[in-house]
Amino acid sequence: MSEPLSLTIVATVMGALIGSFLNVCIYRIPRGTSVVWPASSCESCHRQISWYENLPIVSWLALRGRCRTCHTPLSISHPIVEGITAVMFGAATWYYGPSPALAAQLIFGCALIVLFAIDLEHHLLPNVITIPGIAVGFAFSFVTGPGWVGSLVGALLGGGSLWLIAEAYYRVRHEEGLGMGDVKMLAMIGAFVGWKLTLVTLMMASIAGSIVGLTLVAFRKGDMKYALPFGTFLALGAALASTVGQRLLDWYIGLYPTV
Ligand SMILES: [Zn+2]
């Protein structure tokens, strides 16, 4: 099951570099600019960033989180995204070894990281990620879990259930609670993890959303109007579902041995 240490280390370094690219996606996709051109520059003084200032995590630490020329603080989110991506690449490579399942998990994980960050900051889940994500998840299901039927049912159930909730909420409250972005995102998650883990995702996201929502209400003394980015919670739920979800399901089913 586990791969030699050397491969895991190479994957971790590659993950940090890809995390650096995910930062570019997170910054540029909501602004509608190209993710490949031009090279990164400081948001404040617009000086182009040289390669040695662009090393994942290391450069941020060396520059103490500030631009070398104008000393504007650089967001802490950059090294965090790079660190999480690096750990994800290392851990998934260790667990799966080189396989289609590893490729599927890494692509899925990268999509979740980008959607998490963009929804948190902009309350937006770009189609350019969710729609190709549905197709990629479905394509992978022919060579790895959950199988194409599970994937298809997952996408339909994921998208369909959220669409119904969104419709019902709109009819009752006459305002938009969930957007179509959330619907497409859960369809993408369903295509990757299958219908059972889609339900686990939805449950986890709702629990996490309720806890954070109620905490905010408590601190803001009853301001229920603050809109939480549900896609951010869906990303958290999907990350949990695709790592510990199956064990959680087995445990839950084990509680009812006669069923
Ligand atoms: Zn600068």
Side-chain angles (χ1 to χ4, degrees), residues 114-137:
V114 172
L115 290 172
F116 174 96
I118 292 178
D119 201 32
L120 186 63
E121 194 183 338
H122 302 275
H123 285 214
L124 198 75
L125 295 163
N127 283 339
V128 71
I129 302 198
T130 53
I131 293 175
I134 297 170
V136 171

Side-chain angles (χ1 to χ4, degrees), residues 42 45 67 69-70:
C42 171
C45 69
C67 170
T69 33
C70 72

Side-chain angles (χ1 to χ4, degrees), residues 125 161-170 175-183 202 228-231 234:
L125 295 163
S161 58
L162 266 198
W163 183 79
L164 279 176
I165 295 170
E167 268 298 297
Y169 187 89
Y170 186 76
E175 61 185 62
E176 205 171 84
L178 287 164
M180 284 306 288
D182 300 297
V183 170
L202 193 53
L228 285 171
F230 193 56
L234 282 178

Side-chain angles (χ1 to χ4, degrees), residues 1-253:
M1 204 52 142
S2 75
E3 278 302 308
L5 195 62
S6 55
L7 189 62
T8 303
I9 292 169
V10 170
T12 307
V13 173
M14 220 175 85
L17 292 167
I18 288 173
S20 188
F21 174 68
L22 297 186
N23 276 320
V24 174
C25 295
I26 290 164
Y27 185 79
R28 294 191 186 178
I29 289 174
R31 291 168 175 84
T33 49
S34 164
V35 295
V36 288
W37 186 91
S40 299
S41 58
C42 171
E43 286 167 34
S44 180
C45 69
H46 303 292
R47 181 182 54 83
Q48 194 168 313
I49 290 168
S50 45
W51 68 269
Y52 60 86
E53 293 170 282
N54 216 2
L55 298 172
I57 306 167
V58 181
S59 292
W60 194 91
L61 294 173
L63 295 165
R64 294 200 184 85
R66 284 173 186 280
C67 170
R68 189 164 54 86
T69 33
C70 72
H71 306 292
T72 302
L74 307 166
S75 174
I76 182 93
S77 68
H78 292 105
I80 291 175
V81 166
E82 287 154 0
I84 289 172
T85 313
V87 169
M88 176 182 81
F89 268 66
T93 303
W94 180 269
Y95 186 80
Y96 291 101
S99 61
L102 175 66
Q105 288 293 325
L106 292 181
I107 291 171
F108 182 47
C110 287
L112 290 179
I113 289 170
V114 172
L115 290 172
F116 174 96
I118 292 178
D119 201 32
L120 186 63
E121 194 183 338
H122 302 275
H123 285 214
L124 198 75
L125 295 163
N127 283 339
V128 71
I129 302 198
T130 53
I131 293 175
I134 297 170
V136 171
F138 185 60
F140 266 114
S141 74
F142 286 91
V143 286
T144 178
W148 74 270
V149 177
S151 172
L152 186 66
V153 176
L156 292 174
L157 185 84
S161 58
L162 266 198
W163 183 79
L164 279 176
I165 295 170
E167 268 298 297
Y169 187 89
Y170 186 76
R171 297 269 161 99
V172 175
R173 299 286 300 267
H174 301 288
E175 61 185 62
E176 205 171 84
L178 287 164
M180 284 306 288
D182 300 297
V183 170
K184 283 172 267 185
M185 182 176 175
L186 196 59
M188 179 196 92
I189 292 168
F192 272 100
V193 303
W195 69 270
K196 284 182 199 160
L197 293 179
T198 300
L199 293 178
V200 176
T201 300
L202 193 53
M203 218 172 71
M204 300 265 201
S206 306
I207 294 170
S210 307
I211 293 171
V212 174
L214 290 173
T215 310
L216 281 177
V217 167
F219 279 98
R220 284 160 175 262
K221 300 192 172 79
D223 182 8
M224 286 293 280
K225 284 287 178 190
Y226 183 77
L228 285 171
F230 193 56
T232 296
F233 294 106
L234 282 178
L236 282 178
L240 282 171
S242 57
T243 47
V244 297
Q246 191 55 52
R247 245 165 285 168
L248 205 69
L249 271 180
D250 293 342
W251 166 79
Y252 186 74
I253 291 163

